[in-house]
Amino acid sequence: MSLEDLGNIGEFVAALGVIISLIYLAVQIRQNTLSNRATFLFQAQSEGTRIQEKIFDNPDNARLLVLLRNRELPTDLSPDELERIKAFSNGVMNMYVSLAMAHANRQIEDEIYANYCLDFERYVMNSYPGLIPIARDQLAHY
């Protein structure tokens, strides 16, 4: 076997190694993408749960949430109550803006994003219309 034959065998083995490495890399990237998507969805669910816990843990927050069922907020809200309503709205909006950004970056699938959008519409638009003007103000800078 000549030196040239050995060189050709070496090139073939090296090319085979590159192909195997690329296949391995593709599998690893896919697994990492799936893991990142699962982590993001878990975080989104956790944030929703955290917002709900704030309502359940504090009767005053629950009372304010009932006020948001009206299209217009009462004019006699204290500054503290108004700030808590804004903080609640901001938390909800941040969660959904994060979902929209994740969808735009292909971190969550279309079907899952569509379901979150439907939930958001039902939750904000239908159940708590008092959030709408606050949410519009908060979304103005996005």
Side-chain angles (χ1 to χ4, degrees), residues 7 12 15 33 35 41-42 58 72 95-96 102 111 119 131 139:
F12 176 75
T33 300
S35 175
L41 288 174
F42 175 77
N58 186 331
E72 294 184 21
M95 184 176 72
Y96 283 97
E111 184 179 345
D119 287 346
L131 276 178
L139 285 175

Side-chain angles (χ1 to χ4, degrees), residues 118-137:
L118 285 173
D119 287 346
F120 180 73
E121 185 177 337
R122 274 186 247 134
Y123 189 68
V124 174
M125 301 297 239
N126 297 335
S127 298
Y128 302 102
L131 276 178
I132 295 171
I134 296 168
R136 281 191 185 127
D137 288 344

Side-chain angles (χ1 to χ4, degrees), residues 1-18:
M1 188 175 290
S2 72
L3 191 57
E4 187 176 322
D5 292 339
L6 288 175
N8 288 338
I9 292 171
E11 283 183 34
F12 176 75
V13 169
L16 193 59
V18 167

Side-chain angles (χ1 to χ4, degrees), residues 39-55 87-99 116 123:
T39 299
F40 181 83
L41 288 174
F42 175 77
Q43 289 172 340
Q45 293 287 340
S46 295
E47 181 61 21
T49 300
R50 190 180 68 74
I51 290 170
Q52 290 173 342
E53 286 172 347
K54 285 184 176 184
I55 296 163
F88 170 74
S89 176
N90 193 41
V92 171
M93 298 310 298
N94 283 341
M95 184 176 72
Y96 283 97
V97 167
S98 295
L99 287 166
Y116 273 110
Y123 189 68

Side-chain angles (χ1 to χ4, degrees), residues 26-97:
V27 169
Q28 290 298 310
I29 288 173
R30 176 153 172 73
Q31 288 177 342
N32 185 48
T33 300
L34 292 174
S35 175
N36 285 342
R37 285 180 177 174
T39 299
F40 181 83
L41 288 174
F42 175 77
Q43 289 172 340
Q45 293 287 340
S46 295
E47 181 61 21
T49 300
R50 190 180 68 74
I51 290 170
Q52 290 173 342
E53 286 172 347
K54 285 184 176 184
I55 296 163
F56 296 134
D57 290 345
N58 186 331
D60 288 336
N61 288 343
R63 184 186 67 78
L64 292 174
L65 194 61
V66 169
L67 294 176
L68 291 172
R69 289 189 178 273
N70 300 313
R71 183 149 304 277
E72 294 184 21
L73 294 175
T75 56
D76 62 341
L77 287 175
S78 71
D80 178 59
E81 291 171 324
L82 188 57
E83 284 306 310
R84 285 202 328 248
I85 287 174
K86 286 180 180 179
F88 170 74
S89 176
N90 193 41
V92 171
M93 298 310 298
N94 283 341
M95 184 176 72
Y96 283 97
V97 167

